[in-house]
Amino acid sequence: MSIFYHESTQTFHLTNGEISYLMKVLPNGALGQLYCGQAVRDRESFDHLLELRSRPMSSCVFEGNRYFSLEHCKQEYPAYGSTDFRHPAVELCQPNGSRITDFVYHSHTVMPGKPALPGLPATYCEADGEAETLTVCLRDPLLEVELYLNYTIFAGQPALARSACLKNRGGQDLHLTAAMSLSLDLPDSGYEFVHFSGAWSRERFMKVRQLEQGIQSVESTRGHSSHNHNPFIMLRRPGTDEDKGEVMGFSLVYSGNFLAQVEVDNWDTARVTMGINPFGFDWKLSPGGEFQTPEAVMVYSSQGMGAMSRAFHKLYRTRLARGYWRDRPRPVLLNNWEATYFDFTEDKLVSIAEAARKDGVELFVLDDGWFGARTHESAGLGDWAANPDRLPGGITRLAERVERLGLRFGLWFEPEMANKDSDLYRTHPDWIIQTPGRRSSPGRNQYVLDFSRPEVVDHIYGMMAKILSEAKVSYIKWDMNRSITEAFSAALPPDRQGELFHRYILGVYDLYERLTTAFPHVLFESCASGGGRFDPGLLYYAPQGWASDDSDAVERLKIQYGTSFCYPISSIGAHVSAVPNHQLGRITPLSTRGNAACFGAFGYELDLNRLTGEERELVREQIAFVKEYRQTLQFGDFYRLLSPFEGNFTAWMAVSPDRRTALVGWYKTLNEVNGPYRRVKLRGLDPDLAYTVDGGAEHYGDELMRVGLTVSDAAAGESEQRSGITGDFASHIFVVKSV
Ligand code: DGJ
């Protein structure tokens, strides 16, 4: 891994044998982009890649030089209005009203490792030689503002992390109205734009569009990364599939308002920008002040989307997630939400936990409704002390009773919210986000606390820390159930109101940081009405997240499949719930519910006491199976085989690092009668190893990958011939083991 700098051409080359990233200082002092892609050998000059041309009707930077227009130049952190008319990476509004900036190369440093980003989640390294970081400093001499562009390249990984920092060294107040984490100009637009969009209960559905001249984007303006769009996009060449073709993934390590945009100009170049959404953003940069953007991570793959995903999985699982649980198999949990909703007593909870323990569950989680006056949706949020009517011995006694059964105990919080019917709101009505003189719009009958205010975060920390210190709590589910409306902070002056959304997220990160530091053994699971804040930012604090409130096995296939493009399987909270399913009314076999959920942080979302003896037996088998294989299921190499977005069948598999064990999940939506013969080609096996499938016949890896595993369905239209994987919503997990 090396970062080269060639003085004679002022060229930077970041390379690690996997990727090359080339930049150079342009004639006007700005930083230009030359190449981003598969590794190439180094040379002194790559100037020919600039392709400066004279184009009619262009404005030019220098008089007498018709060849240098920023409009036709690939750049690293462009500004608008000095011959470039595309959307910028940075915009600074000045006291005289001008927004023109001119950042000129000043100096650069190369350092081993990767510095942390204060107050922000980011990838990191642990050992020498894992990564190297280039920081290029540019200055706008008129404004006396410094711009630091950070680039980290990781050894052996096709990944690059970027961020920017602006420092006001001058004497005037400035307003930063755009500060993106990443801007990348690509020389052509021959890509498909892939994003993961949806809504509550159908998060991260894969969408593909052709790039066209003009702007295409996904974003959030809701105060959280959102169910609607995820801060992750891909650009892939047409024809790219899971194991061939060029693809670039762009991921923002951030949980608030974001923008991921591709602007294709009229010469078919493509500008990718990713960062905090400039919509509504206005950060006052006073003299001496600085602003650090969140980090964006790019992964390049020349071997299809599968390799790209595995690179993200590895980086995010091992060098973004942190703490005690990072590398540990996740406990099998049972959450009482869909089992009881708000209707429970201490004894009822203990009886649910008892059954769970009998079947092999390891962690019992008490969800919403245990605190304050929270016996329904409209009261109690903000009062983080147990409701003595429901839990006379408090959380302490309940946790003890659960622990005595031989289970760990977990607890739900929604720290960022308050109901108006709460002691918190009655004492501090000014702590919610609301605009003076305007209606405050409720969401689920609740309001958002102003986490931009340190005293609010302190207060919530105090209540949560008290419970965690008094009771034996091993897990926290941190929920967040509404978007921010009437955004305004009573604590911010008028010229800083545009900072609220970002300051809010910094407050959330601060609380996470304090709690995870004070209680390092607690496993955190993030949640926002399911997957409304399933993003890399929270992965830094919470190594797993509740992927969706939709627990229907068939819908989950799409949700988990979409999620897997960027996020490691160990981070995807996935539970078996009751039928008819509470979101859809669909009835799927218990086996399929388990087979879908076991590719994730596995658990149950039902009262096992309500199942039949036969079903309980299957639950025991499922849990035993997960325990035996969770190291591979959660931490193995993940391969997508068949997409639920493309047909009736879904398949994926996880392979152990030594390639001796693989679990293949095979799922059918609707049954078909007298159907065709089917094989599914496996991936990631050792071609030279002989494997058994489900303990039976032996096949070499090359056969399983090149010929495929036979998955023909037995339904022949005659009932006596129905056997094996047949029926609607049927599924099977093939256990593939080397002999
Ligand atoms: C939304 C979450 O996604 C659910 O799992 C559950 O925790 C409820 N909130 C509780 O209010």
Side-chain angles (χ1 to χ4, degrees), residues 163-446:
S163 73
C165 180
L166 286 119
K167 298 185 182 177
N168 185 353
R169 305 286 195 206
Q172 46 182 1
D173 284 333
L174 302 167
H175 282 265
L176 193 55
T177 50
M180 305 309 284
S181 301
L182 169 153
S183 179
L184 175 66
D185 285 349
L186 298 167
D188 71 271
S189 60
Y191 295 96
E192 288 164 345
F193 174 55
V194 187
H195 57 101
F196 297 86
S197 299
W200 173 82
S201 267
R202 54 176 168 82
E203 297 90 340
R204 294 172 297 287
F205 277 28
M206 188 174 183
K207 311 277 174 193
V208 182
R209 351 174 184 161
Q210 196 62 47
L211 275 189
E212 269 303 335
Q213 292 184 358
I215 289 179
Q216 313 211 31
S217 67
V218 289
E219 65 172 354
S220 171
T221 55
R222 296 167 171 267
H224 53 113
S225 49
S226 89
H227 304 86
N228 310 64
H229 299 289
N230 196 263
F232 171 67
I233 60 167
M234 299 192 294
L235 291 184
R236 68 177 189 197
R237 296 292 188 191
T240 297
D241 61 20
E242 285 295 326
D243 47 19
K244 60 174 188 342
E246 260 194 323
V247 56
M248 277 182 271
F250 301 90
S251 164
L252 186 67
V253 186
Y254 191 57
S255 312
N257 289 347
F258 75 91
L259 174 69
Q261 174 172 294
V262 187
E263 179 171 4
V264 178
D265 71 7
N266 302 76
W267 296 270
D268 289 330
T269 74
R271 170 170 293 174
V272 184
T273 12
M274 188 174 232
I276 292 178
N277 199 340
F279 179 85
F281 174 77
D282 180 346
W283 191 275
K284 185 173 171 187
L285 205 59
S286 297
E290 59 181 72
F291 184 81
Q292 171 64 54
T293 72
E295 171 168 297
V297 176
M298 321 171 18
V299 167
Y300 168 84
S301 162
S302 58
Q303 285 144 40
M305 296 179 289
M308 179 216 66
S309 292
R310 286 186 291 282
F312 270 115
H313 291 180
K314 184 169 173 211
L315 185 66
Y316 281 4
R317 201 180 61 227
T318 64
R319 293 295 180 266
L320 177 62
R322 298 176 299 168
Y324 179 82
W325 284 101
R326 186 187 74 182
D327 305 325
R328 288 188 157 76
R330 302 300 150 73
V332 175
L333 69 80
L334 184 139
N335 178 305
N336 77 308
W337 180 242
E338 288 197 14
T340 66
Y341 295 104
F342 289 111
D343 180 18
F344 59 79
T345 61
E346 183 176 322
D347 285 343
K348 187 167 173 184
L349 295 173
V350 171
S351 100
I352 295 173
E354 227 166 358
R357 171 67 190 129
K358 279 193 191 126
D359 292 354
V361 168
E362 298 162 306
L363 166 70
F364 172 76
V365 179
L366 171 54
D367 209 277
D368 196 354
W370 57 268
F371 49 90
R374 185 79 170 171
T375 50
H376 51 82
E377 263 182 26
S378 303
L381 273 181
D383 297 340
W384 300 109
N387 177 341
D389 298 334
R390 303 190 133 192
L391 301 172
I395 289 299
T396 312
R397 187 174 81 189
L398 176 63
E400 270 167 17
R401 288 181 70 184
V402 170
E403 281 265 332
R404 237 180 285 132
L405 293 172
L407 287 162
R408 290 188 183 140
F409 177 75
L411 198 57
W412 179 96
F413 286 91
E414 194 177 0
E416 300 152 66
M417 301 288 157
N419 288 120
K420 286 198 171 171
D421 184 1
S422 68
D423 292 340
L424 181 83
Y425 181 79
R426 281 183 282 274
T427 321
H428 300 288
D430 60 320
W431 277 9
I432 64 167
I433 290 178
Q434 57 191 330
T435 299
R438 305 253 172 229
R439 181 190 63 241
S440 301
S441 309
R444 209 193 186 202
N445 296 316
Q446 66 194 50

Side-chain angles (χ1 to χ4, degrees), residues 122-135:
T123 54
Y124 57 89
C125 38
E126 273 186 350
D128 290 349
E130 278 188 4
E132 230 175 283
T133 299
L134 164 72
T135 299

